[in-house]
Each structure stands twice: as structure tokens, then as C-alpha cells.
Amino acid sequence: MLITKAAKKVTPLPADLLGEYYNDMCNLTITFTKSKGEYYYNYKSKERNLKGKLNFYREDGLYINLSEIEYAEDYFDVGLAEEDPETEKKYAELKKIGKRKLGVECYYSPGELTIQNYGNSMNYYVKLNDCGEK
């Protein structure tokens, strides 16, 4: 297999990407740092403190993926009762086969991040359960 270089140029990451992003309604802080050529995040809310790597992709703008954050709820959660032993068993089975989505995507624009936290009835998900803001 021969792979040739694409003519499309990759735009560099913004110089002002690193730093702290804060949402006061949710008391949520996401901090981006860089070390040895890799980018990292620190996610802090009232309920949890998470760390992981950042992944980037460009499609009509810059998207940033907080790689190790698991969706709070996704498509297989619909209709499952909460705090039920059967639900926990079903969740464990689905998680084993990889049905749980991983990685919270953010849209970057200078000075802010946008996270679409909720889906709809046709494409149900909740990315972050520690913030109810839409």
C-alpha cells in the first residue's frame, strides 16, 4: 500500500488555547496544559476531578475531545430504571462490549468552549451529569 502526502494543509492550534475555562452556572472548570508536545486537560466540578489527554480535529472549526470522560448517559440508557440491580447488570454487560461512548467533544472558539451536553429523543445522550445547563 502506498500512501502519499495530501495537499491539504493542517492549520496550527491557536496560541491562546492553553489556560482555564470556567462556567459559573455549573461551577465547572476545564484547564488545558501542554507538556512534552502533548496536550492535557483537568476537569473540575463539585462532584469530580478528572484528568486526561486532549485530541483535536478540524471540521469547519476546531474540535477538542476530552478523551477519557465517559458519557453520563447514552443510547442504551433510555428506559432503564435507575438504582436497580438489573440496570446495573445490563450496564455492566453493555460496557463490556463497548457500547458506552467515551470522550466529550468541545467546539473551540477564541476564549470559549461549547459542549452540546444533551441529545434528543432520536439520538439520546447526556455527556456531563454534573451540569444541567444545555
Side-chain angles (χ1 to χ4, degrees):
M1 171 172 52
L2 177 63
I3 300 174
T4 58
K5 185 174 181 180
K8 186 176 179 181
K9 294 199 178 217
V10 177
T11 53
L13 294 174
D16 64 347
L17 175 72
L18 301 179
E20 186 174 282
Y21 299 83
Y22 183 74
N23 180 293
D24 57 353
M25 289 183 72
C26 297
N27 197 16
L28 171 69
T29 303
I30 301 173
T31 305
F32 293 161
T33 58
K34 183 178 179 182
S35 176
K36 299 179 183 175
E38 298 282 344
Y39 290 83
Y40 299 92
Y41 70 86
N42 186 359
Y43 173 102
K44 287 183 184 178
S45 71
K46 287 182 179 180
E47 295 154 15
R48 55 192 179 158
N49 187 3
L50 306 169
K51 295 180 180 187
K53 278 190 170 183
L54 292 176
N55 297 317
F56 303 96
Y57 73 93
R58 293 160 180 88
E59 179 183 296
D60 297 331
L62 176 63
Y63 291 86
I64 302 168
N65 188 295
L66 309 176
S67 63
E68 287 97 29
I69 299 178
E70 187 176 272
Y71 275 30
E73 300 175 42
D74 60 20
Y75 63 91
F76 68 78
D77 290 318
V78 177
L80 295 176
E82 293 182 10
E83 305 296 326
D84 174 44
E86 285 299 313
T87 301
E88 291 177 16
K89 183 178 176 184
K90 180 73 173 168
Y91 171 78
E93 289 171 15
L94 290 168
K95 192 171 178 180
K96 279 184 202 172
I97 60 172
K99 296 287 186 182
R100 198 70 170 170
K101 290 190 179 184
L102 196 63
V104 170
E105 180 182 281
C106 309
Y107 178 78
Y108 172 83
S109 55
E112 67 182 25
L113 301 174
T114 303
I115 299 172
Q116 183 173 337
N117 201 28
Y118 295 92
N120 56 36
S121 61
M122 296 298 290
N123 182 25
Y124 179 81
Y125 62 85
V126 177
K127 293 179 181 178
L128 306 171
N129 62 356
D130 39 4
C131 181
E133 186 178 354
K134 292 190 176 195

